[in-house]
Amino acid sequence: MDLLDITNKLHDESRQGEVFETLQSANQQNSKKFYIESYGCAMNFSDSEIVASILQGEGFATTRNFEEADLILINTCSIREKAELTIRKRLTEFRVTKRKNGTLIGVLGCMAERLKSKLLEEEKLVDLVVGPDAYRSLPGLIQEAETGQKAVNVLLSRDETYSDIAPVRLDSNGVCAFVSIMRGCNNMCSFCVVPFTRGRERSRDAHSIFAEAKELFNKGYKEVTLLGQNVDSYYWIDENNNTTITFSKLLEMVALISPELRVRFSTSHPKDITDDVLFTIAKYENICNYIHLPVQSGSSKILQLMNRTYTREWYIAKINRIKEIIPNCGISTDIIVGFCNETEEDYLETYSLMQYCKYDLAYMYFYSERPGTLAAKRYEDNVPETEKKRRLQHIIDLHRIHSLESMQRDVNKTFKVLIEGNSKKSDAHWFGRTDHNKVVIFPKANATLQKGDYTNVFVHECTAGTLLGKLVN
Ligand code: SAH
Ligand code: SF4
Ligand code: F3S
């Protein structure tokens, strides 16, 4: 476990883990079974639900035990070198099962896209390599692999959004769900592999997003998170009545499904988030007052090298604007230290920006050069690893103070909490979240509440990652 893992552990109940076994209660009488495991960002977890839907349509059942599967799928992430190493290690663990049972092994997602057929040379046990835009071809590829051939499809598409596929909810608590609103990314942040692994940005049909969210609500879900690499550039033209739907309009459409449906979204880009979006968040009580606004660096020089297209001052002005329009807005971020040419001075600017923003939550990384990216081509990865790690530890320590302060500010206050299920540690306690996405644990106290209900909870205590409370009558 590295430093980053330790920090993220503090919030492990409030974010999907890096590794997350996805599963679904199996229709056991189906003959063939598949097992799927997802890594990386929420988009990947959401994609696995599309894959599950495609495979169920082909008569496959899901299993949570890879040893009894006919097909093992691993939906992969390439964002940092470590993410890929984790997947390589996991693949070796599947080797024994493959030898014993002849199980087919498929690599999906960003690593499949990045390495393409090279992956077949490097990982001899892999039978299928399928990129994020090629999941519709899975049934044909599986048939090919069943005849002993290696099967690859890594074509990226300009228009695939899987909008007509109803995702099969995997490992769902029946309360919260992801809804993918767009795919790909047109930004060219110089450190980032995503534009290469996920292709051009495209927005999904707004009516299908609305219909999916409504259907979820009708089934008893109470929270949707709208997903995209850069949600603020969502843009869709309704050709029937010649209207354009922007992200703020889409947010409003989804919020209007019901005041009982909480709406979250991720990720916003500081250059693209508009006042319209902020006013829409402020207007609707059920759109959570919480924005993930990755800054990456506090130094304008580094931001320029990163090709983030904003400066330190622009970012600070954005934060101020958010606080002006949504006074009580929770803000989280992503930060990279040790990017090419980052000096001590540059890095201290990131530190001071954190002191200014006092983020409720921050995901912090040290720079990991990714082959093929602009930074890999143009700049030297010239901050030594020990120095990267020192800088990372320093900002992790600072953030720990801010996140604890953020938790402590909530003590002695009452919050509307959406109950997501039992506390992991005790069936006598509920687990839920506030509007600010903070985890709250509180005793059930014989009240007739159930999963998916909203209730008011008075917070009397906190730890670094959890609020502890009691029901308010
Ligand atoms: N679309 C989102 C982020 C996607 S990747 C955005 O624009 O913010 C999630 C985070 O991983 C990024 O915000 C960045 O902080 C981190 N990241 C991306 N590439 C990285 C790299 N090469 N090394 C270290 N961290 C990286
Ligand atoms: Fe990567 Fe930048 Fe696109 Fe985010 S906005 S996915 S960091 S290129
Ligand atoms: Fe990883 Fe691909 Fe997401 S690289 S972070 S799984 S878009």
Side-chain angles (χ1 to χ4, degrees):
M1 196 185 280
D2 69 12
L3 299 172
L4 167 72
D5 290 330
I6 292 165
T7 347
N8 286 349
K9 195 96 195 136
L10 296 175
H11 309 288
D12 66 351
E13 291 202 75
S14 61
R15 196 197 195 197
Q16 303 262 12
E18 280 262 314
V19 180
F20 196 83
E21 193 182 295
T22 51
L23 44 96
Q24 153 92 2
S25 63
N27 179 358
Q28 297 294 344
Q29 66 264 33
N30 282 352
S31 52
K32 285 191 210 157
K33 294 195 180 87
F34 78 97
Y35 167 91
I36 187 163
E37 206 171 270
S38 308
Y39 293 75
C41 64
M43 295 292 297
N44 253 16
F45 290 86
S46 173
D47 278 3
S48 291
E49 298 185 334
I50 287 167
V51 168
S53 175
I54 292 169
L55 292 186
Q56 280 202 351
E58 291 294 305
F60 273 89
T62 45
T63 171
R64 55 163 69 206
N65 175 7
F66 71 80
E67 287 174 349
E68 64 163 33
D70 303 280
L71 171 65
I72 296 176
L73 296 173
I74 179 159
N75 197 353
T76 61
C77 174
S78 284
I79 202 80
R80 285 167 289 276
E81 192 185 13
K82 192 170 160 251
E84 291 199 357
L85 292 176
T86 307
I87 286 152
R88 301 241 186 215
K89 187 160 164 274
R90 189 65 176 138
L91 280 172
T92 63
E93 288 163 8
F94 294 144
R95 190 169 292 151
V96 183
T97 307
K98 178 165 182 78
R99 286 215 185 106
K100 202 165 80 191
N101 306 338
T103 320
L104 290 181
I105 312 260
V107 176
L108 314 179
C110 292
M111 206 172 153
E113 192 62 50
R114 192 179 84 72
L115 292 163
K116 305 188 170 53
S117 52
K118 224 169 87 194
L119 197 55
L120 294 174
E121 291 156 30
E122 292 172 9
E123 301 286 347
K124 298 280 184 241
L125 80 164
V126 173
D127 303 288
L128 297 130
V129 176
V130 191
D133 285 348
Y135 297 145
R136 284 183 203 268
S137 66
L138 263 169
L141 295 170
I142 294 167
Q143 273 181 9
E144 218 175 298
E146 278 170 344
T147 67
Q149 298 171 64
K150 302 279 180 182
V152 181
N153 187 349
V154 288
L155 285 176
L156 285 173
S157 158
R158 280 182 174 261
D159 46 27
E160 178 62 273
T161 58
Y162 300 112
S163 73
D164 57 317
I165 295 180
V168 168
R169 302 294 161 187
L170 293 166
D171 211 25
S172 168
N173 60 9
V175 179
C176 312
F178 292 130
V179 176
S180 190
I181 65 163
M182 59 208 292
R183 300 182 72 80
C185 182
N186 281 357
N187 294 320
M188 272 287 170
C189 302
S190 61
F191 52 79
C192 185
V193 78
V194 173
F196 304 94
T197 61
R198 297 227 155 220
R200 304 290 292 172
E201 178 187 292
R202 65 221 95 122
S203 296
R204 176 179 168 191
D205 175 335
H207 299 309
S208 78
I209 297 170
F210 177 84
E212 186 178 325
K214 192 154 199 260
E215 171 77 5
L216 284 164
F217 182 70
N218 291 342
K219 283 187 177 153
Y221 283 79
K222 292 292 178 59
E223 182 183 296
V224 291
T225 302
L226 307 181
L227 290 182
Q229 292 298 348
N230 183 7
V231 288
D232 302 288
S233 63
Y234 178 86
Y235 186 85
W236 189 76
I237 298 172
D238 187 348
E239 278 161 4
N240 291 334
N241 51 19
N242 225 359
T243 49
T244 36
I245 299 187
T246 58
F247 183 57
S248 68
K249 179 73 193 141
L250 182 75
L251 259 184
E252 181 167 51
M253 280 167 63
V254 177
L256 285 171
I257 289 174
S258 165
E260 289 282 294
L261 180 69
R262 267 190 180 172
V263 186
R264 299 187 187 277
F265 56 90
S266 184
T267 300
S268 301
H269 194 296
K271 82 171 157 60
D272 293 321
I273 189 165
T274 60
D275 275 6
D276 269 357
V277 167
L278 301 179
F279 285 123
T280 306
I281 298 170
K283 183 171 170 190
Y284 293 96
E285 209 255 338
N286 56 327
I287 304 180
C288 294
N289 289 343
Y290 185 87
I291 300 177
H292 184 59
L293 200 69
V295 66
Q296 312 299 0
S297 169
S299 148
S300 294
K301 177 193 108 184
I302 295 297
L303 287 169
Q304 191 174 13
L305 293 178
M306 288 177 161
N307 204 19
R308 287 290 287 182
T309 70
Y310 55 84
T311 59
R312 175 189 175 91
E313 290 70 34
W314 167 284
Y315 185 88
I316 289 176
K318 229 6 134 186
I319 294 284
N320 293 344
R321 189 70 178 143
I322 292 172
K323 300 259 153 133
E324 202 180 310
I325 298 174
I326 317 162
N328 184 29
C329 194
I331 300 178
S332 58
T333 202
D334 292 346
I335 295 174
I336 300 175
V337 290
F339 187 64
C340 316
N341 298 337
E342 187 189 73
T343 61
E344 181 72 10
E345 242 170 32
D346 297 324
Y347 149 71
L348 287 174
E349 287 200 73
T350 300
Y351 194 88
S352 70
L353 185 93
M354 289 174 74
Q355 285 173 317
Y356 181 84
C357 297
K358 292 199 180 357
Y359 295 107
D360 296 287
L361 186 55
Y363 298 98
M364 295 160 282
Y365 313 98
F366 64 76
Y367 174 58
S368 163
E369 186 179 82
R370 307 312 292 131
T373 55
L374 290 181
K377 287 183 193 152
R378 285 188 196 156
Y379 315 122
E380 196 191 335
D381 181 11
N382 54 7
V383 178
E385 186 154 323
T386 47
E387 182 56 19
K388 287 178 178 174
K389 287 188 173 161
R390 185 191 68 82
R391 292 178 191 177
L392 182 61
Q393 183 59 60
H394 197 199
I395 62 166
I396 286 173
D397 291 344
L398 177 64
H399 175 63
R400 201 165 271 152
I401 298 169
H402 295 156
S403 75
L404 187 61
E405 281 171 8
S406 160
M407 299 302 277
Q408 283 165 343
R409 273 197 300 278
D410 290 349
V411 174
N412 291 330
K413 290 183 188 149
T414 297
F415 294 92
K416 183 174 172 185
V417 171
L418 172 59
I419 300 176
E420 291 184 20
N422 287 339
S423 156
K424 278 184 201 159
K425 289 188 190 142
S426 140
D427 286 354
H429 289 73
W430 288 120
F431 163 97
R433 275 172 224 258
T434 65
D435 174 273
H436 280 182
N437 215 16
K438 286 181 184 163
V439 170
V440 191
I441 304 288
F442 55 99
K444 293 184 176 173
N446 298 326
T448 50
L449 286 166
Q450 48 185 347
K451 198 168 84 164
D453 284 346
Y454 290 96
T455 185
N456 287 324
V457 177
F458 175 78
V459 172
H460 54 78
E461 213 181 317
C462 72
T463 67
T466 310
L467 300 175
L468 306 172
K470 58 177 190 225
L471 281 169
V472 174
N473 290 329

